[in-house]
Amino acid sequence: MTALSVNINKVAVLRNSRGHAEPDPLLAARVAIEAGADGITVHPRPDQRHIRVDDVARVAAEVASWNARGRAVEYNIEGNPFAPARGSYPGFVELVRRTRPAQATLVPDGDAQITSDHGFDLTAEAARLAPLVSELKALGCRVSLFVDAGTRATDLERAVAAGADRIEIYTEPYARAYAAGDCTRELDACVRTAEAARAHGLGVNAGHDLNQRNLGALKSAIPFLAEVSIGHALIGEALYAGLAPTVRAYLAILGTRD
């Protein structure tokens, strides 16, 4: 079964555009979980332009309450592990220490990036990542590294050596090619990286610009996908169809739930 983790960042973007409390990302997380989502993803950035530090803590408490009632829900916090403290932002590792998510997904985000747009260069950065991966795992987190489709097996060996449990394949190039009508090359790159990761004992996640049109082909090509993290398209589609029905539509694409 491929888990669906709903990224609620875009709900926070809409809230922050007015500077008030609505719409509340916490309530969006609750609706998504009630509709069957397997997890919730947040991607706080140092400038807190969408998900804020208080949101990270509030959603952690919400997820914990579901787990305490016997409903298994995973919390995934994404971000740049090298991001230092700035103002009220305590730094990525400290946020994880405070909230203890099931998974920490490490992404090479710079401050100027509108959104994530590339994976780690593991040849250059695996050694630098290793101590942070070790620290996060000591906090009880599964650690996933954001990588480009087409990442070589030798670089995936470096991910293993750094202590990573999973990779998350950056799927925007695949999604763009799918929309243009010919995604064979980009999908093959995703498959090669996924299969090489599995051969090295790494779990495989995927995310970025996945939607109801392109998700099925990716799932069919990589049936052993552990998780997809979807936010922008899912929240956009929910504006027309409603959040709960949209979550259920994605779950149907990923396969029948028990």
Side-chain angles (χ1 to χ4, degrees):
M1 186 184 76
T2 300
L4 172 65
S5 187
V6 175
N7 186 316
I8 57 173
N9 274 29
K10 285 300 184 293
V11 180
V13 169
L14 185 57
R15 174 199 61 191
N16 295 355
S17 70
R18 289 293 297 269
H20 299 300
E22 297 292 338
D24 189 349
L26 176 64
L27 296 182
R30 187 174 299 160
V31 170
I33 294 167
E34 289 172 346
D38 304 289
I40 298 297
T41 291
V42 295
H43 189 145
R45 289 178 167 85
D47 62 9
Q48 300 186 67
R49 62 181 182 263
H50 32 63
I51 289 293
R52 302 187 303 233
V53 171
D54 66 303
D55 294 324
V56 177
R58 291 193 307 132
V59 175
E62 178 71 16
V63 170
S65 73
W66 283 92
N67 284 305
R69 287 176 276 161
R71 169 74 156 81
V73 181
E74 287 202 345
Y75 194 23
N76 174 44
I77 301 181
E78 299 180 347
N80 180 355
F82 305 119
R86 180 190 306 169
S88 62
Y89 179 80
F92 180 81
V93 174
E94 178 59 26
L95 270 180
V96 172
R97 180 177 292 108
R98 293 178 184 180
T99 53
R100 307 298 174 99
Q103 180 171 265
T105 300
L106 311 188
V107 183
D109 272 343
D111 285 356
Q113 288 178 229
I114 295 174
T115 186
S116 306
D117 60 15
H118 64 283
F120 280 107
D121 177 351
L122 293 171
T123 301
E125 298 179 288
R128 186 181 176 211
L129 285 165
L132 294 175
V133 171
S134 178
E135 186 173 359
L136 293 167
K137 290 180 72 170
L139 296 172
C141 300
R142 177 198 312 126
V143 177
S144 179
L145 301 182
F146 203 58
V147 303
D148 293 314
T151 295
R152 299 171 302 175
T154 52
D155 282 333
L156 295 172
E157 290 173 3
R158 293 183 173 93
V160 173
D165 302 293
R166 293 185 183 180
I167 60 164
E168 180 175 331
I169 299 174
Y170 170 54
T171 51
E172 181 177 0
Y174 158 71
R176 288 183 177 273
Y178 187 97
D182 184 4
C183 65
T184 301
R185 182 179 65 181
E186 290 77 10
L187 182 57
D188 285 349
C190 292
V191 171
R192 288 196 310 274
T193 295
E195 290 179 342
R198 182 170 65 160
H200 283 87
L202 294 165
V204 181
N205 298 343
H208 211 86
D209 281 1
L210 296 176
N211 58 37
Q212 291 185 54
R213 294 180 298 280
N214 61 40
L215 179 58
L218 184 72
K219 167 68 175 175
S220 294
I222 312 173
F224 53 88
L225 270 177
E227 175 189 287
V228 290
S229 175
I230 305 178
H232 182 84
L234 190 152
I235 298 302
E237 291 159 351
L239 293 176
Y240 311 108
L243 182 53
T246 301
V247 169
R248 288 193 287 268
Y250 276 94
L251 291 170
I253 293 169
L254 292 171
T256 303
R257 292 309 200 252
D258 293 333

